[in-house]
Amino acid sequence: MKNYMERTSLDARINPIFTALVTSFAEQSAKAFGLDHAGALKLTLACEEIFTYLCGIDKGDKPVTIEAKNGLYFVQVKILFDVAHFDPRAFNLTAKVSLDDESGLEDMGLLIASRSVDRFSINHDAREGTGVVLIKERTYPEITWAESTAVKPLKGFTITAPDPEALKLFAHQTVSTYSDNPYPPDFRFPGKLVDMVASGEYKALIATDNYGAIGGGVIWRWRIARKKIVECAGPYIFGQPPESGIAEKLMDALIGAIAKTEAICLINEYASPELPKQYFEPLGLVDYYGPDGTFVPWCLYYRLLKEDVGSQVWAHPELEDFLKIQYKSLSFARKIVLTSYGGEARPPHSVFASQFVRTQRVVTLRPVWDGIDVSVNLSRHVQILKNEDIQTIFLEIDLGHAWQANLVPALRENGFTPRLILPYAGRADIVVFQYREGM
Amino acid sequence: MFSIPLGSLVPEYIKKFEPYVPSKPDQELMKMYGCERLYRLNNNENPLGPPPASQEIIRQLWPPKAGIYPSGDIYYMRYRLAEKFNMHPDQFLFGNGANEVIAFVIKAFCQEGDNIITADKTFAVYEWVATFSGFEARLVPLRDFGFDDAGMLDQIDERTKILFVCNPNNPTGTYWNEDTLRNFLDVIGGRQIVVVDEAYCEFVEKEDYPDGMKLVEEYPNLVVFRTFSKMYGLAGLRIGYLAGNLEVVDIIRRTCVVYSVNTVAQDTALAAIDDDDHVRRTRDLVRTEKAYLNAELDLLGLETQSGEGCYIMIKLPMSDTLAYRKLMSEGVMIRSMTGFRFPNWIRVSIGKHEAMEAFADALRKILAR
């Protein structure tokens, strides 16, 4: 097995004289960690764009650290820079956009970088620091055929962690059995799924009999950077009658595996028809947009893994009714404390962190910094993302921060509507808004 | 201000450990959930409270006594127990609740690389203390809701130091009879420490239920845990103890925190230990109300696991954490069992009839919605 989680790092300064060194470091690391030539060049291009962008906005010769990590199925490059002199405005996706001159969009290094990689995020956090994360995944062969392999009802089964071959078989069976139902896109690349499990990103359990026949399975992983939430998919069941209890046993095993971890909440974004509904509660609907503009309403299921001890949340009056309805429907004990701006001084410029998942044409925005320009800034973000042909735009606010709760009027003005609550997902609950044209 | 390098200061096993979050005080919860009264059926507390003599001590507490350190080694209580169980006073060691003596034992015998063995679905503190102390906790799945003796024996290796058996088991109420326990101890042959946690022993009325105290002399590697939190209703004062072979307890004493059991706890426990009438009245209540509740649950068609002890497990057709929230809104607090690795099960403590009725009504209501 490859020695995944290897890391390399380079300390340099934000100065064009280091550009060749930075790009060479990124390219050689990417190749050493298993990216093919084309993938390595794309990651290098993204890295170069970011570094050049930094050089353009900061002439101070400040330190920068470039870290490369082998995630087995991906290579990540993280560019970390001096947080002591952080200029938040510069790290909006919209930093150089002129609304009067849309041609300016083409010159944006941040956007160009985002196009070259599979996942891209800009973050500023007091503890994590400021940085840009670029992730390029390795190339894996996609399932080109999905022959349905009939599985007879198992006479008995055990729940077990699959070996790589069983995992690939599980992926094939899922793709062939659930052609009309959602499953994570990773299932279409069985080798990638194997590497994702080997790297520890995904966990998997399957139900097998003594002869190795697979009656079903389930996968899950910790939501990246949100250690309190585990997201799962399935359970996927192959030719087994409901009375087999396989779906329930898989859920019992999954929940048992995470019950004593830091996870507070289990979310299922890819519920199969066989999902034992008694294990979950419907959290709400979001919409996923296709390239043709059509959208599919998508139900998220979840269960809390701990007893709700109740908590307090900040809320702008415009969100109060939504929260009351949601909390009542979900039976959560919450003290809603209203907040709104009272004319106090605010910083001039707001900042949003952007997380792209290019493969799914989804972007999630998260407020990082408050500012008077928040509504205009958000409008620019939406415009840029639409120009990038990204229609599925989420925005999350953390009700543990009063200033984030106060962003609600700006969100409304820009077509964002609250869709659902992720309990305990941040400092307090997180409200997920979604952009909808014309709203 | 200094920035604390927590990344390098904190051991990896602590970083990975999830702290236990206890529930908020009743008044806070009632405000949060909008209920006017709250039946606490989540912690297996004795609905009768402490025995009358213990209650009188609490009422008559002489305030200046609070300014004086308690007996550091719980002197009188140990001598009383020695008399009661025909053992030496030094065979007993007290802690701030039985939870604390779990830590004493693990600290006394485990070092880096060692492991302990217990069940996957049992009282969580054995696993917690081992894990946040940096030792491996090997968890053997229950078999038919009971501790799997053969499965536990299979897991023993040269680094196994302690095996924890909760008898009767919390939360399933299953127990090992004397034959099973003796056989287990015989196979182990003194090579490891065997802890038998008898927190709920006073609730068990079965003939074949073993009395660990009587086995200590025969099996020097046996350590027995008992508590005053359950049958004797002193959970709020925190007092529990262990008993074992003189040499073994002498080793454990080296890790023991003295003065951790306060004066009121010592005095009330001393007054409680001989109150057999309190034990009888509690058993009667638990027997009667358990029968009532089981009948109600039968009417609802719910699967239950009702064994020994002052609690019943119930399987629900919904998430147990959702049921917890809904029942809280109805003024009833139960224990959700996801944390015990029993998803969709709840554990309800046996209380007075009024509380049992309130629980049954609330359960009917939330299941009907």
Side-chain angles (χ1 to χ4, degrees), chain A residues 47-328:
Chain A
C47 195
E48 182 177 1
E49 288 294 340
I50 298 295
F51 189 74
T52 304
Y53 180 79
L54 288 177
C55 292
I57 61 168
D58 192 329
K59 314 291 185 191
D61 217 25
K62 289 170 188 161
V64 61
T65 299
I66 323 280
E67 292 178 354
K69 182 177 90 173
N70 180 5
L72 195 54
Y73 76 94
F74 66 88
V75 175
Q76 172 185 291
V77 171
K78 190 186 276 187
I79 303 168
L80 299 156
F81 32 90
D82 187 359
V83 293
H85 306 285
F86 176 64
D87 173 5
R89 189 185 183 194
F91 292 95
N92 272 310
L93 204 57
T94 59
K96 288 195 171 177
V97 172
S98 163
L99 286 176
D100 301 327
D101 180 12
E102 290 195 15
S103 63
L105 296 176
E106 298 305 315
D107 298 326
M108 291 184 57
L110 296 179
L111 268 181
I112 292 169
S114 83
R115 288 183 190 130
S116 303
V117 291
D118 296 305
R119 280 179 275 162
F120 168 87
S121 59
I122 307 171
N123 296 303
H124 173 67
D125 180 278
R127 282 187 300 180
E128 302 287 326
T130 304
V132 178
V133 177
L134 308 163
I135 290 177
K136 185 70 191 165
E137 296 182 355
R138 289 174 54 205
T139 306
Y140 292 86
E142 184 174 4
I143 292 177
T144 51
W145 52 268
E147 186 179 323
S148 185
T149 46
V151 181
K152 292 178 183 171
L154 306 185
K155 289 185 177 163
F157 65 88
T158 53
I159 305 292
T160 179
D163 62 28
E165 288 309 310
L167 190 60
K168 284 193 275 188
L169 190 56
F170 170 51
H172 267 278
Q173 285 181 318
T174 300
V175 171
S176 65
T177 308
Y178 290 88
S179 56
D180 297 328
N181 286 286
Y183 50 80
D186 307 315
F187 273 82
R188 296 198 64 82
F189 304 89
K192 179 181 177 186
L193 199 61
V194 168
D195 281 354
M196 292 179 90
V197 169
S199 73
E201 179 159 336
Y202 269 128
K203 306 279 183 192
L205 286 171
I206 56 172
T208 59
D209 66 9
N210 291 337
Y211 305 99
I214 299 175
V218 65
I219 63 165
W220 71 95
R221 66 177 168 185
W222 266 256
R223 185 170 281 217
I224 294 171
R226 295 200 180 280
K227 294 286 187 184
K228 294 176 187 172
I229 299 182
V230 172
E231 48 190 23
C232 68
Y236 302 110
I237 307 295
F238 316 124
Q240 306 303 307
E243 58 272 21
S244 70
I246 287 181
E248 288 79 5
K249 292 290 182 199
L250 285 166
M251 281 299 139
D252 281 341
L254 187 170
I255 294 167
I258 61 174
K260 296 197 181 190
T261 67
E262 66 270 34
I264 291 178
C265 189
L266 174 65
I267 290 183
N268 193 332
E269 294 184 49
Y270 294 98
S272 67
E274 290 85 358
L275 179 78
K277 297 289 194 302
Q278 68 272 26
Y279 285 76
F280 287 87
E281 304 166 54
L283 194 56
L285 293 170
V286 294
D287 298 321
Y288 278 89
Y289 289 81
D292 58 354
T294 59
F295 66 87
V296 181
W298 203 279
C299 184
L300 270 62
Y301 291 90
Y302 93 113
R303 73 175 278 142
L304 203 61
L305 297 166
K306 317 282 187 203
E307 290 172 357
D308 176 38
V309 293
S311 67
Q312 174 177 304
V313 294
W314 294 104
H316 188 276
E318 287 186 25
L319 198 62
E320 186 182 12
D321 287 346
F322 171 82
L323 292 179
K324 281 183 173 172
I325 292 167
Q326 289 290 311
Y327 286 137
K328 186 171 183 192

Side-chain angles (χ1 to χ4, degrees), chain B residues 229-249:
Chain B
S229 297
K230 305 302 177 186
M231 175 57 82
Y232 295 106
L234 296 174
L237 296 180
R238 313 305 302 131
I239 175 165
Y241 64 98
L242 62 78
N245 170 273
L246 212 48
E247 284 180 78
V248 169
V249 174

Side-chain angles (χ1 to χ4, degrees), chain B residues 117-130:
Chain B
I117 296 173
T118 188
D120 62 340
K121 296 171 179 176
T122 186
F123 186 52
V125 180
Y126 324 126
E127 178 188 346
W128 283 347
V129 175

